[in-house]
């Protein structure tokens, strides 16, 4: 069953909390100064959202806690690196080029569409579903 707006929002919020605390600690050890702090944090955050679903069967920490996961719509398999690059990088560019309007449209799509797919899901050929 497709995961709706609130489950996905809850997972995003949990990821933000978990990752921000973890990244603050890791960034402090890596950079040790304020000069590269934001760059290192952004890079690690991007790698987290890109790689964790690939290596953890479609889950991030927040998604696992909320009982939802990302999967390919074609064969229901976990996403690969190419899929996650489309989902995060290409969709991120689309969202940036639309000055955030794409994010609002995606939120409406998840809230109103029967299949609960957002723009980034269509770009990558994915869906977010509740655990089996």
């Amino acid at each position: 069953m497709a995961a709706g707006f609130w489950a996905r929002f809850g997972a995003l919020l949990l990821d933000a909390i978990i990752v921000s605390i973890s990244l603050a600690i890791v960034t402090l050890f890596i950079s040790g100064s304020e000069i590269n702090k934001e760059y290192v944090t952004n890079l690690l955050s991007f790698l987290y959202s890109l790689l964790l679903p690939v290596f953890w069967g479609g889950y991030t920490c927040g998604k696992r806690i909320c009982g939802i996961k990302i999967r390919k719509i074609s064969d229901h398999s976990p996403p690969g690196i190419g899929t996650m690059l489309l989902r995060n990088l290409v969709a991120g560019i689309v969202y940036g080029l639309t000055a955030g309007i794409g994010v609002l449209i995606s939120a409406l799509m998840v809230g109103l569409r029967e299949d609960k797919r957002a723009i980034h899901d269509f770009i990558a050929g994915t869906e977010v579903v509740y655990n089996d």
Side-chain angles (χ1 to χ4, degrees), residues 36-77:
N36 295 323
K37 188 175 182 177
E38 186 176 336
Y39 172 76
V40 172
T41 302
N42 289 341
L43 177 63
L44 291 174
S45 180
F46 174 76
L47 291 173
Y48 168 85
S49 63
L50 177 74
L51 297 176
L52 193 60
V54 172
F55 294 114
W56 206 14
Y59 294 101
T60 61
C61 294
K63 282 181 175 54
R64 175 72 81 169
I65 292 167
C66 290
I68 61 177
K69 64 182 175 182
I70 303 166
R71 69 180 186 188
K72 293 181 187 176
I73 198 153
S74 59
D75 60 2
H76 297 179
S77 65

mmCIF file of all heavy atoms in Angstrom, residues 36-77:
data_model
loop_
_atom_site.group_PDB
_atom_site.id
_atom_site.type_symbol
_atom_site.label_atom_id
_atom_site.label_comp_id
_atom_site.label_asym_id
_atom_site.label_seq_id
_atom_site.Cartn_x
_atom_site.Cartn_y
_atom_site.Cartn_z
ATOM 1 N N ASN A 36 34.737 24.949 6.646
ATOM 2 C CA ASN A 36 34.146 23.978 5.735
ATOM 3 C C ASN A 36 32.950 23.252 6.336
ATOM 4 O O ASN A 36 32.497 22.267 5.777
ATOM 5 C CB ASN A 36 35.200 22.948 5.312
ATOM 6 C CG ASN A 36 36.319 23.560 4.511
ATOM 7 O OD1 ASN A 36 36.077 24.458 3.710
ATOM 8 N ND2 ASN A 36 37.526 23.091 4.740
ATOM 9 N N LYS A 37 32.464 23.718 7.441
ATOM 10 C CA LYS A 37 31.422 23.004 8.172
ATOM 11 C C LYS A 37 30.169 22.780 7.322
ATOM 12 O O LYS A 37 29.666 21.666 7.240
ATOM 13 C CB LYS A 37 31.081 23.756 9.449
ATOM 14 C CG LYS A 37 30.152 23.006 10.359
ATOM 15 C CD LYS A 37 29.954 23.762 11.659
ATOM 16 C CE LYS A 37 29.052 22.956 12.566
ATOM 17 N NZ LYS A 37 28.878 23.593 13.851
ATOM 18 N N GLU A 38 29.667 23.820 6.692
ATOM 19 C CA GLU A 38 28.436 23.692 5.909
ATOM 20 C C GLU A 38 28.640 22.779 4.704
ATOM 21 O O GLU A 38 27.788 21.961 4.382
ATOM 22 C CB GLU A 38 27.955 25.061 5.449
ATOM 23 C CG GLU A 38 26.609 25.008 4.752
ATOM 24 C CD GLU A 38 26.088 26.382 4.394
ATOM 25 O OE1 GLU A 38 26.483 27.368 5.025
ATOM 26 O OE2 GLU A 38 25.275 26.456 3.463
ATOM 27 N N TYR A 39 29.775 22.900 4.046
ATOM 28 C CA TYR A 39 30.082 22.056 2.884
ATOM 29 C C TYR A 39 30.109 20.586 3.279
ATOM 30 O O TYR A 39 29.515 19.739 2.615
ATOM 31 C CB TYR A 39 31.418 22.483 2.265
ATOM 32 C CG TYR A 39 31.901 21.553 1.191
ATOM 33 C CD1 TYR A 39 31.332 21.570 -0.075
ATOM 34 C CD2 TYR A 39 32.919 20.637 1.446
ATOM 35 C CE1 TYR A 39 31.763 20.704 -1.063
ATOM 36 C CE2 TYR A 39 33.362 19.770 0.461
ATOM 37 C CZ TYR A 39 32.777 19.811 -0.793
ATOM 38 O OH TYR A 39 33.204 18.952 -1.759
ATOM 39 N N VAL A 40 30.800 20.273 4.355
ATOM 40 C CA VAL A 40 30.916 18.887 4.816
ATOM 41 C C VAL A 40 29.549 18.354 5.229
ATOM 42 O O VAL A 40 29.175 17.233 4.864
ATOM 43 C CB VAL A 40 31.928 18.773 5.983
ATOM 44 C CG1 VAL A 40 31.914 17.380 6.591
ATOM 45 C CG2 VAL A 40 33.319 19.132 5.502
ATOM 46 N N THR A 41 28.782 19.146 5.946
ATOM 47 C CA THR A 41 27.445 18.727 6.374
ATOM 48 C C THR A 41 26.546 18.459 5.179
ATOM 49 O O THR A 41 25.839 17.453 5.140
ATOM 50 C CB THR A 41 26.813 19.796 7.291
ATOM 51 O OG1 THR A 41 27.666 19.993 8.414
ATOM 52 C CG2 THR A 41 25.448 19.368 7.777
ATOM 53 N N ASN A 42 26.549 19.349 4.197
ATOM 54 C CA ASN A 42 25.722 19.160 2.999
ATOM 55 C C ASN A 42 26.135 17.911 2.228
ATOM 56 O O ASN A 42 25.278 17.159 1.755
ATOM 57 C CB ASN A 42 25.798 20.389 2.094
ATOM 58 C CG ASN A 42 25.077 21.572 2.676
ATOM 59 O OD1 ASN A 42 24.241 21.434 3.565
ATOM 60 N ND2 ASN A 42 25.408 22.756 2.201
ATOM 61 N N LEU A 43 27.423 17.692 2.100
ATOM 62 C CA LEU A 43 27.912 16.517 1.384
ATOM 63 C C LEU A 43 27.512 15.228 2.100
ATOM 64 O O LEU A 43 27.003 14.289 1.472
ATOM 65 C CB LEU A 43 29.436 16.584 1.236
ATOM 66 C CG LEU A 43 30.082 15.375 0.553
ATOM 67 C CD1 LEU A 43 29.606 15.241 -0.883
ATOM 68 C CD2 LEU A 43 31.597 15.485 0.616
ATOM 69 N N LEU A 44 27.712 15.172 3.405
ATOM 70 C CA LEU A 44 27.358 13.972 4.165
ATOM 71 C C LEU A 44 25.845 13.733 4.156
ATOM 72 O O LEU A 44 25.395 12.589 4.065
ATOM 73 C CB LEU A 44 27.887 14.069 5.592
ATOM 74 C CG LEU A 44 29.410 14.005 5.744
ATOM 75 C CD1 LEU A 44 29.810 14.253 7.184
ATOM 76 C CD2 LEU A 44 29.953 12.683 5.236
ATOM 77 N N SER A 45 25.070 14.779 4.232
ATOM 78 C CA SER A 45 23.617 14.645 4.179
ATOM 79 C C SER A 45 23.171 14.102 2.824
ATOM 80 O O SER A 45 22.304 13.229 2.743
ATOM 81 C CB SER A 45 22.968 16.004 4.449
ATOM 82 O OG SER A 45 21.574 15.896 4.403
ATOM 83 N N PHE A 46 23.776 14.619 1.757
ATOM 84 C CA PHE A 46 23.459 14.129 0.415
ATOM 85 C C PHE A 46 23.820 12.652 0.283
ATOM 86 O O PHE A 46 23.034 11.854 -0.238
ATOM 87 C CB PHE A 46 24.194 14.965 -0.645
ATOM 88 C CG PHE A 46 24.039 14.429 -2.038
ATOM 89 C CD1 PHE A 46 22.850 14.612 -2.728
ATOM 90 C CD2 PHE A 46 25.066 13.737 -2.645
ATOM 91 C CE1 PHE A 46 22.688 14.107 -4.012
ATOM 92 C CE2 PHE A 46 24.919 13.231 -3.928
ATOM 93 C CZ PHE A 46 23.726 13.423 -4.614
ATOM 94 N N LEU A 47 25.002 12.283 0.764
ATOM 95 C CA LEU A 47 25.430 10.885 0.680
ATOM 96 C C LEU A 47 24.521 9.968 1.501
ATOM 97 O O LEU A 47 24.234 8.846 1.089
ATOM 98 C CB LEU A 47 26.886 10.750 1.127
ATOM 99 C CG LEU A 47 27.917 11.363 0.182
ATOM 100 C CD1 LEU A 47 29.307 11.311 0.814
ATOM 101 C CD2 LEU A 47 27.899 10.684 -1.170
ATOM 102 N N TYR A 48 24.079 10.442 2.642
ATOM 103 C CA TYR A 48 23.138 9.675 3.473
ATOM 104 C C TYR A 48 21.864 9.367 2.694
ATOM 105 O O TYR A 48 21.434 8.220 2.601
ATOM 106 C CB TYR A 48 22.804 10.463 4.749
ATOM 107 C CG TYR A 48 21.635 9.905 5.532
ATOM 108 C CD1 TYR A 48 21.815 8.881 6.445
ATOM 109 C CD2 TYR A 48 20.337 10.409 5.358
ATOM 110 C CE1 TYR A 48 20.754 8.363 7.169
ATOM 111 C CE2 TYR A 48 19.276 9.897 6.075
ATOM 112 C CZ TYR A 48 19.483 8.878 6.978
ATOM 113 O OH TYR A 48 18.428 8.362 7.683
ATOM 114 N N SER A 49 21.252 10.398 2.116
ATOM 115 C CA SER A 49 19.980 10.194 1.413
ATOM 116 C C SER A 49 20.165 9.452 0.103
ATOM 117 O O SER A 49 19.241 8.807 -0.383
ATOM 118 C CB SER A 49 19.285 11.533 1.177
ATOM 119 O OG SER A 49 20.061 12.354 0.333
ATOM 120 N N LEU A 50 21.353 9.497 -0.468
ATOM 121 C CA LEU A 50 21.635 8.790 -1.717
ATOM 122 C C LEU A 50 21.972 7.324 -1.481
ATOM 123 O O LEU A 50 21.430 6.440 -2.141
ATOM 124 C CB LEU A 50 22.795 9.474 -2.450
ATOM 125 C CG LEU A 50 23.269 8.807 -3.739
ATOM 126 C CD1 LEU A 50 22.254 9.042 -4.848
ATOM 127 C CD2 LEU A 50 24.625 9.348 -4.130
ATOM 128 N N LEU A 51 22.859 7.062 -0.530
ATOM 129 C CA LEU A 51 23.414 5.724 -0.379
ATOM 130 C C LEU A 51 22.680 4.812 0.599
ATOM 131 O O LEU A 51 22.621 3.599 0.376
ATOM 132 C CB LEU A 51 24.890 5.828 0.036
ATOM 133 C CG LEU A 51 25.812 6.507 -0.979
ATOM 134 C CD1 LEU A 51 27.214 6.638 -0.408
ATOM 135 C CD2 LEU A 51 25.816 5.769 -2.297
ATOM 136 N N LEU A 52 22.149 5.352 1.670
ATOM 137 C CA LEU A 52 21.508 4.480 2.663
ATOM 138 C C LEU A 52 20.366 3.658 2.067
ATOM 139 O O LEU A 52 20.303 2.446 2.298
ATOM 140 C CB LEU A 52 21.050 5.277 3.887
ATOM 141 C CG LEU A 52 20.653 4.412 5.084
ATOM 142 C CD1 LEU A 52 21.815 3.538 5.554
ATOM 143 C CD2 LEU A 52 20.164 5.274 6.221
ATOM 144 N N PRO A 53 19.460 4.245 1.268
ATOM 145 C CA PRO A 53 18.410 3.412 0.668
ATOM 146 C C PRO A 53 18.949 2.325 -0.271
ATOM 147 O O PRO A 53 18.347 1.254 -0.394
ATOM 148 C CB PRO A 53 17.549 4.416 -0.110
ATOM 149 C CG PRO A 53 17.795 5.718 0.554
ATOM 150 C CD PRO A 53 19.238 5.668 0.996
ATOM 151 N N VAL A 54 20.086 2.578 -0.899
ATOM 152 C CA VAL A 54 20.688 1.582 -1.787
ATOM 153 C C VAL A 54 21.198 0.392 -0.974
ATOM 154 O O VAL A 54 20.965 -0.767 -1.322
ATOM 155 C CB VAL A 54 21.835 2.199 -2.617
ATOM 156 C CG1 VAL A 54 22.594 1.127 -3.397
ATOM 157 C CG2 VAL A 54 21.311 3.272 -3.546
ATOM 158 N N PHE A 55 21.890 0.671 0.122
ATOM 159 C CA PHE A 55 22.497 -0.388 0.915
ATOM 160 C C PHE A 55 21.568 -0.973 1.980
ATOM 161 O O PHE A 55 21.877 -2.025 2.547
ATOM 162 C CB PHE A 55 23.782 0.124 1.577
ATOM 163 C CG PHE A 55 24.845 0.452 0.581
ATOM 164 C CD1 PHE A 55 25.267 1.753 0.396
ATOM 165 C CD2 PHE A 55 25.414 -0.543 -0.195
ATOM 166 C CE1 PHE A 55 26.251 2.064 -0.533
ATOM 167 C CE2 PHE A 55 26.400 -0.248 -1.130
ATOM 168 C CZ PHE A 55 26.819 1.062 -1.302
ATOM 169 N N TRP A 56 20.440 -0.324 2.234
ATOM 170 C CA TRP A 56 19.543 -0.786 3.298
ATOM 171 C C TRP A 56 18.154 -1.136 2.762
ATOM 172 O O TRP A 56 17.159 -1.003 3.443
ATOM 173 C CB TRP A 56 19.462 0.279 4.389
ATOM 174 C CG TRP A 56 19.109 -0.262 5.743
ATOM 175 C CD1 TRP A 56 19.114 -1.552 6.165
ATOM 176 C CD2 TRP A 56 18.654 0.511 6.864
ATOM 177 N NE1 TRP A 56 18.723 -1.639 7.470
ATOM 178 C CE2 TRP A 56 18.432 -0.377 7.925
ATOM 179 C CE3 TRP A 56 18.440 1.860 7.069
ATOM 180 C CZ2 TRP A 56 17.985 0.038 9.163
ATOM 181 C CZ3 TRP A 56 18.001 2.263 8.313
ATOM 182 C CH2 TRP A 56 17.777 1.372 9.340
ATOM 183 N N GLY A 57 18.075 -1.546 1.513
ATOM 184 C CA GLY A 57 16.830 -2.073 0.955
ATOM 185 C C GLY A 57 15.712 -1.056 0.821
ATOM 186 O O GLY A 57 14.547 -1.410 0.960
ATOM 187 N N GLY A 58 16.038 0.195 0.547
ATOM 188 C CA GLY A 58 15.019 1.215 0.349
ATOM 189 C C GLY A 58 14.682 2.041 1.575
ATOM 190 O O GLY A 58 13.799 2.886 1.528
ATOM 191 N N TYR A 59 15.381 1.788 2.655
ATOM 192 C CA TYR A 59 15.102 2.493 3.904
ATOM 193 C C TYR A 59 16.118 3.597 4.181
ATOM 194 O O TYR A 59 17.282 3.494 3.824
ATOM 195 C CB TYR A 59 15.162 1.545 5.104
ATOM 196 C CG TYR A 59 14.101 0.490 5.127
ATOM 197 C CD1 TYR A 59 14.382 -0.805 4.731
ATOM 198 C CD2 TYR A 59 12.814 0.790 5.558
ATOM 199 C CE1 TYR A 59 13.404 -1.794 4.763
ATOM 200 C CE2 TYR A 59 11.835 -0.193 5.591
ATOM 201 C CZ TYR A 59 12.135 -1.476 5.192
ATOM 202 O OH TYR A 59 11.164 -2.438 5.213
ATOM 203 N N THR A 60 15.657 4.629 4.865
ATOM 204 C CA THR A 60 16.508 5.535 5.625
ATOM 205 C C THR A 60 16.126 5.276 7.075
ATOM 206 O O THR A 60 15.180 4.522 7.342
ATOM 207 C CB THR A 60 16.239 7.013 5.263
ATOM 208 O OG1 THR A 60 14.876 7.324 5.586
ATOM 209 C CG2 THR A 60 16.527 7.296 3.800
ATOM 210 N N CYS A 61 16.799 5.885 8.006
ATOM 211 C CA CYS A 61 16.432 5.678 9.418
ATOM 212 C C CYS A 61 14.987 6.101 9.671
ATOM 213 O O CYS A 61 14.216 5.380 10.305
ATOM 214 C CB CYS A 61 17.384 6.446 10.330
ATOM 215 S SG CYS A 61 19.078 5.842 10.283
ATOM 216 N N GLY A 62 14.613 7.282 9.174
ATOM 217 C CA GLY A 62 13.247 7.769 9.375
ATOM 218 C C GLY A 62 12.204 6.883 8.725
ATOM 219 O O GLY A 62 11.144 6.625 9.297
ATOM 220 N N LYS A 63 12.488 6.409 7.523
ATOM 221 C CA LYS A 63 11.543 5.524 6.840
ATOM 222 C C LYS A 63 11.392 4.205 7.593
ATOM 223 O O LYS A 63 10.297 3.673 7.715
ATOM 224 C CB LYS A 63 11.967 5.296 5.388
ATOM 225 C CG LYS A 63 11.631 6.458 4.487
ATOM 226 C CD LYS A 63 12.036 6.184 3.039
ATOM 227 C CE LYS A 63 11.604 7.293 2.115
ATOM 228 N NZ LYS A 63 12.032 8.624 2.470
ATOM 229 N N ARG A 64 12.500 3.671 8.084
ATOM 230 C CA ARG A 64 12.441 2.407 8.837
ATOM 231 C C ARG A 64 11.574 2.577 10.091
ATOM 232 O O ARG A 64 10.736 1.745 10.392
ATOM 233 C CB ARG A 64 13.854 1.975 9.215
ATOM 234 C CG ARG A 64 13.941 0.749 10.095
ATOM 235 C CD ARG A 64 13.603 -0.517 9.385
ATOM 236 N NE ARG A 64 14.740 -0.976 8.626
ATOM 237 C CZ ARG A 64 14.799 -2.177 8.076
ATOM 238 N NH1 ARG A 64 13.805 -3.033 8.216
ATOM 239 N NH2 ARG A 64 15.831 -2.539 7.373
ATOM 240 N N ILE A 65 11.760 3.676 10.807
ATOM 241 C CA ILE A 65 10.980 3.934 12.020
ATOM 242 C C ILE A 65 9.490 4.072 11.680
ATOM 243 O O ILE A 65 8.630 3.572 12.412
ATOM 244 C CB ILE A 65 11.498 5.192 12.748
ATOM 245 C CG1 ILE A 65 12.897 4.934 13.319
ATOM 246 C CG2 ILE A 65 10.541 5.631 13.855
ATOM 247 C CD1 ILE A 65 13.632 6.180 13.774
ATOM 248 N N CYS A 66 9.184 4.727 10.565
ATOM 249 C CA CYS A 66 7.787 4.948 10.159
ATOM 250 C C CYS A 66 7.187 3.754 9.427
ATOM 251 O O CYS A 66 5.998 3.766 9.086
ATOM 252 C CB CYS A 66 7.683 6.193 9.288
ATOM 253 S SG CYS A 66 7.960 7.711 10.198
ATOM 254 N N GLY A 67 7.980 2.729 9.171
ATOM 255 C CA GLY A 67 7.475 1.521 8.527
ATOM 256 C C GLY A 67 7.196 1.686 7.039
ATOM 257 O O GLY A 67 6.301 1.039 6.507
ATOM 258 N N ILE A 68 7.989 2.532 6.368
ATOM 259 C CA ILE A 68 7.827 2.731 4.929
ATOM 260 C C ILE A 68 9.175 2.565 4.242
ATOM 261 O O ILE A 68 10.218 2.610 4.901
ATOM 262 C CB ILE A 68 7.213 4.106 4.593
ATOM 263 C CG1 ILE A 68 8.105 5.252 5.077
ATOM 264 C CG2 ILE A 68 5.813 4.215 5.170
ATOM 265 C CD1 ILE A 68 7.597 6.646 4.713
ATOM 266 N N LYS A 69 9.151 2.333 2.934
ATOM 267 C CA LYS A 69 10.394 2.167 2.182
ATOM 268 C C LYS A 69 10.205 2.606 0.742
ATOM 269 O O LYS A 69 9.087 2.670 0.230
ATOM 270 C CB LYS A 69 10.876 0.721 2.221
ATOM 271 C CG LYS A 69 9.928 -0.263 1.533
ATOM 272 C CD LYS A 69 10.438 -1.664 1.659
ATOM 273 C CE LYS A 69 9.411 -2.643 1.085
ATOM 274 N NZ LYS A 69 9.862 -4.021 1.233
ATOM 275 N N ILE A 70 11.327 2.898 0.088
ATOM 276 C CA ILE A 70 11.347 3.245 -1.323
ATOM 277 C C ILE A 70 11.561 1.951 -2.105
ATOM 278 O O ILE A 70 12.373 1.109 -1.713
ATOM 279 C CB ILE A 70 12.527 4.201 -1.641
ATOM 280 C CG1 ILE A 70 12.456 5.456 -0.786
ATOM 281 C CG2 ILE A 70 12.545 4.550 -3.133
ATOM 282 C CD1 ILE A 70 13.760 6.266 -0.798
ATOM 283 N N ARG A 71 10.819 1.801 -3.208
ATOM 284 C CA ARG A 71 11.058 0.666 -4.091
ATOM 285 C C ARG A 71 10.800 1.082 -5.532
ATOM 286 O O ARG A 71 10.105 2.061 -5.798
ATOM 287 C CB ARG A 71 10.213 -0.537 -3.704
ATOM 288 C CG ARG A 71 8.729 -0.358 -3.960
ATOM 289 C CD ARG A 71 7.949 -1.573 -3.562
ATOM 290 N NE ARG A 71 6.546 -1.426 -3.942
ATOM 291 C CZ ARG A 71 5.587 -2.256 -3.592
ATOM 292 N NH1 ARG A 71 5.870 -3.297 -2.831
ATOM 293 N NH2 ARG A 71 4.347 -2.048 -3.986
ATOM 294 N N LYS A 72 11.390 0.320 -6.441
ATOM 295 C CA LYS A 72 11.154 0.565 -7.857
ATOM 296 C C LYS A 72 9.730 0.149 -8.187
ATOM 297 O O LYS A 72 9.258 -0.893 -7.725
ATOM 298 C CB LYS A 72 12.134 -0.216 -8.719
ATOM 299 C CG LYS A 72 13.563 0.234 -8.610
ATOM 300 C CD LYS A 72 14.428 -0.612 -9.547
ATOM 301 C CE LYS A 72 15.878 -0.335 -9.352
ATOM 302 N NZ LYS A 72 16.708 -1.224 -10.196
ATOM 303 N N ILE A 73 9.063 0.932 -8.995
ATOM 304 C CA ILE A 73 7.677 0.613 -9.328
ATOM 305 C C ILE A 73 7.593 -0.541 -10.308
ATOM 306 O O ILE A 73 6.624 -1.302 -10.299
ATOM 307 C CB ILE A 73 6.926 1.863 -9.829
ATOM 308 C CG1 ILE A 73 5.427 1.638 -9.739
ATOM 309 C CG2 ILE A 73 7.324 2.243 -11.225
ATOM 310 C CD1 ILE A 73 4.621 2.875 -9.575
ATOM 311 N N SER A 74 8.636 -0.717 -11.127
ATOM 312 C CA SER A 74 8.602 -1.747 -12.170
ATOM 313 C C SER A 74 8.611 -3.164 -11.618
ATOM 314 O O SER A 74 7.819 -4.008 -12.043
ATOM 315 C CB SER A 74 9.784 -1.564 -13.131
ATOM 316 O OG SER A 74 11.007 -1.638 -12.432
ATOM 317 N N ASP A 75 9.498 -3.443 -10.684
ATOM 318 C CA ASP A 75 9.619 -4.817 -10.175
ATOM 319 C C ASP A 75 9.603 -4.908 -8.648
ATOM 320 O O ASP A 75 9.864 -5.958 -8.092
ATOM 321 C CB ASP A 75 10.879 -5.471 -10.724
ATOM 322 C CG ASP A 75 12.155 -4.740 -10.328
ATOM 323 O OD1 ASP A 75 12.081 -3.730 -9.590
ATOM 324 O OD2 ASP A 75 13.235 -5.181 -10.764
ATOM 325 N N HIS A 76 9.320 -3.808 -7.982
ATOM 326 C CA HIS A 76 9.232 -3.735 -6.518
ATOM 327 C C HIS A 76 10.550 -4.045 -5.817
ATOM 328 O O HIS A 76 10.553 -4.364 -4.623
ATOM 329 C CB HIS A 76 8.132 -4.633 -5.972
ATOM 330 C CG HIS A 76 6.774 -4.223 -6.448
ATOM 331 N ND1 HIS A 76 5.631 -4.900 -6.111
ATOM 332 C CD2 HIS A 76 6.346 -3.218 -7.255
ATOM 333 C CE1 HIS A 76 4.585 -4.330 -6.679
ATOM 334 N NE2 HIS A 76 5.007 -3.314 -7.382
ATOM 335 N N SER A 77 11.657 -3.944 -6.531
ATOM 336 C CA SER A 77 12.962 -4.177 -5.917
ATOM 337 C C SER A 77 13.456 -2.890 -5.259
ATOM 338 O O SER A 77 12.982 -1.799 -5.579
ATOM 339 C CB SER A 77 13.963 -4.644 -6.975
ATOM 340 O OG SER A 77 14.202 -3.620 -7.928
#
